[in-house]
Every structure is written in C-alpha cells, then in structure tokens.
C-alpha cells in the first residue's frame, strides 16, 4: 500500500519547481511545493508526506489540488478569521477613550463600545481585547493598602531598630567600626 506510485501532473519543470520553492514567501506553500518536488523525484505518496511531516490524507489532498490547479492549488484557501467588528479608526478612537477615562470595569467598556460605536461584545471578549489588544491589565486602584496599620512607619522603624541591634550584637566588638548596614534593592 505504501509503495503505490501516484500520477503527478508536471505543471512546472524541475528547475521551475526549485525556483518556486526558493521564491515562495509563505512557509505553508514552501512545504507543499517540497512535497510535490519529492513526488517529482520518484517518492511514493507515503514517502513524500513523511519527508515534509504531513499525513497521507493531507498529501493526497495536496496532490489533487496540484494536479487540478498547479502551483495556485497549493496556496492555502482559508481567510484570516472573522473580520473585527470595529474598524481600525474605531479601535483607535476606543483606545483614546479608554486612556482618557481610566479606570474602567469590563462592563463599563462593553457599555462604552455599545454607546459610541453601536457594536456589542460579550464581556469575556472585551476582557481579552483589553488585555491583548490594548495592553491593559485589571487592577484595583487603592491609595493605600486596606490592611495597613495607621502607625506603619513607627512599626517599621521599631522592627528595623530591633533587627539592626541583633546584627550588631552578632558581629561583636571587632566589627563596630564598619559603615553600618545598608538595606534596599541592588543591581
């Protein structure tokens, strides 16, 4: 079964096929042209697909498309997905509005898009849109940490003094001439 030779239409000469491989911009087209080149060189369908890392079913489809349409048949036939609901200009306008009125909740943005552009999005999609397209992240703006005690500076100074006192005691008297302990982030 794996030794069966297939009929390959020779739409291009060997040299034209090698040139087409070199000139192709799309890696998918290059892979498919290499598959056809393997068939030109006498590979079976099984051998040709294995060399390019494809299944025999895919290779069979590529061969059918090659035989019917030549090189044009190997160009992928799918689009880039569903077109966006907002135009490029609307997306730029939305970004400007988002930057002006921060902070936003997801539901606020859903309502903003509906009111400004007449487009409705699911809140889950808006959340992904804000993170991935607009580089925004969800956070709760707080002027201070709610769990922070009122006398936080005093507590810090006390604990620092206790810690430094312990360090000085551990050093002994021979290290008392040092410059002191420096705390912080270093590079």
């Amino acid at each position: 079964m794996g030794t069966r030779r297939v009929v390959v239409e020779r739409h291009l000469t060997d040299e034209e096929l090698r040139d087409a491989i070199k000139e192709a911009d799309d890696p998918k087209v290059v892979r498919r042209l290499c598959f056809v080149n393997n068939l030109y060189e006498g590979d079976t369908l099984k051998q040709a697909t294995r060399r390019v890392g494809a299944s025999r079913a895919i290779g069979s489809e590529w061969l059918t498309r090659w035989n019917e349409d030549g090189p044009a048949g190997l160009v992928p036939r799918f689009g880039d997905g569903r077109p966006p609901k907002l135009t490029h200009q609307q997306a730029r306008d939305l970004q400007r509005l988002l930057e002006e009125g921060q902070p936003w909740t997801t539901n606020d943005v859903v309502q903003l898009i509906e009111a400004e552009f007449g487009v409705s999005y699911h809140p889950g999609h808006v959340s992904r849109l804000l993170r991935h397209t607009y580089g925004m992240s969800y956070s709760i703006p707080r002027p201070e940490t709610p769990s922070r005690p009122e006398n936080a500076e005093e507590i810090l100074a006390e604990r620092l003094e206790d810690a430094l006192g312990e360090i000085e005691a551990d050093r002994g008297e021979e290290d008392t001439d040092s410059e002191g302990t420096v705390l912080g982030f270093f590079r």
Side-chain angles (χ1 to χ4, degrees), residues 20-21 24-38 48-55 58-59 62 74:
I21 292 170
D25 294 330
D26 186 347
K28 292 175 182 164
V29 173
V30 171
R31 182 176 179 215
R32 295 166 188 188
L33 287 170
C34 288
F35 161 77
V36 172
N37 188 54
N38 293 339
T49 54
R50 187 181 314 138
R51 288 181 198 264
V52 296
S55 69
I58 293 295
W62 291 346
L74 298 182

Side-chain angles (χ1 to χ4, degrees), residues 114-125:
E114 179 82 38
E116 290 290 323
F117 308 107
V119 173
S120 62
Y121 278 117
H122 186 276
H125 180 71

Side-chain angles (χ1 to χ4, degrees), residues 74-175:
L74 298 182
V75 175
R77 295 181 178 173
F78 52 86
D80 292 333
R82 185 177 187 165
K85 291 181 179 182
L86 296 176
T87 66
H88 290 292
Q89 183 59 47
Q90 289 173 327
R92 283 192 297 271
D93 292 344
L94 175 60
Q95 185 167 8
R96 183 182 46 75
L97 290 170
L98 291 172
E99 289 170 356
E100 289 174 1
Q102 293 187 37
W104 295 92
T105 65
T106 302
N107 287 332
D108 289 341
V109 177
V110 168
Q111 292 171 5
L112 173 71
I113 293 171
E114 179 82 38
E116 290 290 323
F117 308 107
V119 173
S120 62
Y121 278 117
H122 186 276
H125 180 71
V126 168
S127 180
R128 285 188 299 277
L129 187 71
L130 293 174
R131 280 193 316 274
H132 300 294
T133 303
Y134 297 107
M136 299 176 84
S137 59
Y138 181 79
S139 62
I140 300 173
R142 296 185 177 138
E144 291 185 16
T145 305
S147 60
R148 179 183 171 166
E150 289 183 28
N151 61 343
E153 287 84 9
E154 293 172 22
I155 294 171
L156 176 63
E158 226 175 83
R159 289 184 181 171
L160 188 57
E161 189 176 309
D162 290 346
L164 292 176
E166 288 176 14
I167 292 171
E168 293 296 323
D170 289 343
R171 285 188 180 170
E173 291 192 21
E174 57 198 46
D175 288 337

Side-chain angles (χ1 to χ4, degrees), residues 31-70:
R31 182 176 179 215
R32 295 166 188 188
L33 287 170
C34 288
F35 161 77
V36 172
N37 188 54
N38 293 339
L39 294 175
Y40 268 31
E41 291 178 359
D43 281 359
T44 63
L45 182 64
K46 181 178 180 179
Q47 292 168 331
T49 54
R50 187 181 314 138
R51 288 181 198 264
V52 296
S55 69
R56 274 191 275 174
I58 293 295
S60 182
E61 181 182 328
W62 291 346
L63 177 61
T64 300
R65 289 169 52 186
W66 171 265
N67 284 342
E68 291 174 2
D69 301 325

